[in-house]
Amino acid sequence: MVTMSTHPEQWTHWVEKACTALDLDPADVDIDLVHELSKNVSHEVTRPLAPVSSYLLGIVVGRRLERGEPVDAAAQREIADRVPLTD
């Protein structure tokens, strides 16, 4: 699996650029977590739902932030771990 320490520099650059365009903090983007979630859904459920799983993760994180709840790395991991890997 690709980890942040092995990401090509252009990935980080693109995430920073996308976050700037979307008024987000790049530090809030856990590329490894999104890749892991997408990989697991792709292999355990079906490939077309991999991006949907990432979108769902984003919705839940956004709603928690909207309610003023902290959404640190551990909270994001807890959310991702709740995504079902069976249909």
Side-chain angles (χ1 to χ4, degrees):
M1 173 171 52
V2 178
T3 64
M4 194 62 167
S5 61
T6 62
H7 288 167
E9 188 174 316
Q10 66 264 27
W11 289 12
T12 302
H13 175 72
W14 182 87
V15 168
E16 290 170 353
K17 191 173 179 179
C19 285
T20 298
L22 299 170
D23 195 28
L24 299 170
D25 183 351
D28 293 336
V29 179
D30 186 338
I31 295 171
D32 294 333
L33 177 65
V34 173
H35 279 181
E36 183 180 339
L37 175 61
S38 295
K39 179 192 79 158
N40 290 342
V41 170
S42 178
H43 291 195
E44 301 297 327
V45 183
T46 184
R47 178 167 281 175
L49 291 179
V52 176
S53 68
S54 299
Y55 180 73
L56 294 173
L57 174 65
I59 290 173
V60 174
V61 167
R63 286 186 178 166
R64 285 189 177 191
L65 290 171
E66 197 172 60
R67 292 190 302 255
E69 298 174 17
V71 189
D72 59 9
Q76 290 181 42
R77 166 69 54 194
E78 178 269 324
I79 295 164
D81 286 347
R82 290 184 4 226
V83 173
L85 296 180
T86 60
D87 57 1

